[in-house]
Amino acid sequence: MATSSHDTIIEILCCLSVKDQLWCSWMEDPYFIKLHLSYFLKTNTNHSLILRYRKFQFLSVNYDSPKTTRRLKQPFGEQKKPIQILGSCNGLLAVEYYYNRIFVWNLSTRKYQVLPSTKIDFSSPSICYGRSIYYGFGYDRVSDDYKLVRMVYSLRSNCWRRIKDFCFYLIFYRELGFLANNVLHWMVFKTRESSNRNLVGFDLRSEEFRLVELPDFCLDENIYFDVKAMGGYLCLTATHRELNDVVVDVWIMKEYGVKESWVKLMSSTQPDLLPGSPFEVPLAFSKNGNKVLFHNKYSRGNRDSLVWYDLGSKRVEKVGIKGVPVVYDVYLYVESLFPVNKKPHRGNFSL
């Protein structure tokens, strides 16, 4: 009976937000921390959108019912210096402060850890191109460690490590890697002269690069496409014209690494969804999975840059968040108790 009562208490605590856990002694237990995060990920609860605007200000919005916003305080106080989010994973943000200082930040517990500095050798073709720096941030389940890829930084060992050279050419300035299936991804060219874009993945476990196959239509020069991650899947958005209509198709890779598993999730010609194509970005599924949240990165002064697309009815619903700026970057975030101000310990619970 005691064991049953103990398990019931754990189940109840797992349902509580991080804010409601800060008083609890369980919040420092490695097993409970992973169990708590696993519950949020499996139930798709306690997720937020982080809106960054004016380069140094942040708002938090509950993306399942985004009617109100909450202003977030910077770890270093209210200094008006640029802060760039480099990646978001399991409740941790990798952040670059004032162009040269990197730290890992847990928004929920308000704790952060400054990473050791490192010099970059721009003469080497690592993950840099044109003197621009490219990042990716993710979690390696096998080593139970969070890794920031510029070269490679391990949160567990608190050090940077050099990996093999990056033999591709990155496309966009300061493009951030996106995480799916324990692999960070970037869009690349195989050579400087190439016009065909490819998707390359960096496996956080093996620390090896490999190409991920895209659908054959991506070779069509009349189709604009982009790849991100959504709901744990690789997600491809393809924009093209059919007669007088602009069409946006969204595809997901159901089985990672299998080219034949790309399936079309939706197709739309609705002008409300496409005011600034090809810049519509699918962000996330709703809690029940029947809607997709889109963000228009260049909404041309339109504050309704976030919309829900209903996969069943194919209707578009404007989100209409009050008090948001006209232009902002948006990132997904899930609450977490993960400690960043001390060396973590291995747990025996797998996410």
Side-chain angles (χ1 to χ4, degrees):
M1 180 66 70
T3 301
S4 177
S5 300
H6 176 271
D7 292 342
T8 301
I9 293 174
I10 293 294
E11 290 179 5
I12 294 173
L13 290 175
C14 280
C15 299
L16 299 179
S17 67
V18 170
K19 181 180 179 181
D20 295 327
Q21 298 277 359
L22 295 179
W23 56 268
C24 180
S25 60
W26 286 99
M27 69 170 290
E28 296 185 356
D29 180 83
Y31 174 84
F32 178 73
I33 289 172
K34 290 188 176 183
L35 192 66
H36 185 255
L37 175 61
S38 178
Y39 176 82
F40 287 172
L41 294 176
K42 290 178 179 178
T43 59
N44 203 17
T45 54
N46 283 7
H47 286 57
S48 301
L49 299 176
I50 304 300
L51 277 52
R52 169 185 171 269
Y53 63 103
R54 295 179 183 172
K55 296 186 177 182
F56 58 86
Q57 294 186 351
F58 296 88
L59 294 173
S60 174
V61 183
N62 184 316
Y63 83 68
D64 221 32
S65 55
K67 298 300 181 183
T68 57
T69 62
R70 178 170 62 91
R71 188 162 180 258
L72 301 175
K73 294 183 179 179
Q74 297 182 19
F76 301 122
E78 297 303 308
Q79 302 183 48
K80 296 182 179 181
K81 295 181 179 180
I83 295 181
Q84 173 67 53
I85 295 178
L86 305 177
S88 173
C89 180
N90 293 350
L92 300 182
L93 296 179
V95 182
E96 184 183 35
Y97 173 67
Y98 200 43
Y99 301 116
N100 60 3
R101 196 175 189 183
I102 299 175
F103 61 96
V104 176
W105 182 17
N106 186 323
L107 292 176
S108 302
T109 63
R110 301 180 182 177
K111 303 293 185 180
Y112 67 91
Q113 177 178 333
V114 179
L115 307 191
S117 61
T118 181
K119 294 182 179 180
I120 300 176
D121 179 10
F122 283 105
S123 65
S124 173
S126 60
I127 208 159
C128 310
Y129 173 59
R131 298 186 69 86
S132 298
I133 305 172
Y134 297 84
Y135 291 94
F137 180 61
Y139 174 68
D140 175 16
R141 293 181 177 87
V142 176
S143 64
D144 188 23
D145 197 5
Y146 289 83
K147 296 179 179 179
L148 177 65
V149 175
R150 178 174 65 181
M151 287 173 283
V152 172
Y153 171 81
S154 165
L155 192 61
R156 178 177 297 282
S157 60
N158 193 36
C159 69
W160 291 93
R161 291 182 294 105
R162 177 64 183 269
I163 56 176
K164 63 176 60 179
D165 286 343
F166 188 69
C167 56
F168 302 97
Y169 294 87
L170 288 144
I171 298 174
F172 300 110
Y173 173 71
R174 292 183 66 84
E175 182 181 11
L176 302 178
F178 49 94
L179 185 70
N181 200 61
N182 204 45
V183 178
L184 286 166
H185 302 82
W186 293 266
M187 295 302 301
V188 299
F189 294 123
K190 287 185 178 180
T191 66
R192 286 180 184 270
E193 297 78 20
S194 176
S195 60
N196 294 327
R197 295 187 295 160
N198 294 270
L199 181 64
V200 68
F202 175 75
D203 192 307
L204 290 172
R205 179 186 61 83
S206 65
E207 298 187 352
E208 297 283 342
F209 290 102
R210 64 172 179 262
L211 290 171
V212 180
E213 290 191 280
L214 299 173
D216 290 336
F217 64 74
C218 292
L219 296 174
D220 188 337
E221 295 182 355
N222 296 315
I223 295 179
Y224 176 89
F225 71 92
D226 192 23
V227 185
K228 297 297 181 184
M230 182 176 68
Y233 298 103
L234 286 179
C235 179
L236 185 150
T237 306
T239 306
H240 57 98
R241 286 193 173 274
E242 290 184 2
L243 299 178
N244 295 324
D245 293 326
V246 177
V247 181
V248 168
D249 297 327
V250 177
W251 298 68
I252 59 173
M253 180 178 260
K254 296 290 287 185
E255 185 177 349
Y256 183 81
V258 178
K259 180 180 179 180
E260 294 73 20
S261 71
W262 283 104
V263 296
K264 186 184 292 187
L265 179 69
M266 56 164 283
S267 182
S268 177
T269 58
Q270 297 198 43
D272 287 339
L273 185 63
L274 309 166
S277 291
F279 304 110
E280 286 288 346
V281 179
L283 291 176
F285 290 103
S286 61
K287 184 177 179 179
N288 58 15
N290 62 2
K291 296 180 182 179
V292 175
L293 182 66
F294 282 85
H295 174 226
N296 188 306
K297 296 173 66 176
Y298 303 98
S299 56
R300 300 177 183 177
N302 181 8
R303 291 180 182 272
D304 296 320
S305 60
L306 289 171
V307 297
W308 285 111
Y309 179 85
D310 192 301
L311 295 173
S313 66
K314 300 183 179 181
R315 294 180 178 177
V316 174
E317 175 188 354
K318 295 180 179 179
V319 173
I321 307 173
K322 295 182 179 179
V324 300
V326 175
V327 179
Y328 53 84
D329 299 322
V330 61
Y331 307 86
L332 288 178
Y333 178 80
V334 59
E335 290 188 10
S336 167
L337 289 165
F338 190 88
V340 294
N341 59 336
K342 62 181 180 180
K343 188 174 181 178
H345 301 279
R346 271 184 207 276
N348 57 5
F349 188 83
S350 176
L351 293 176

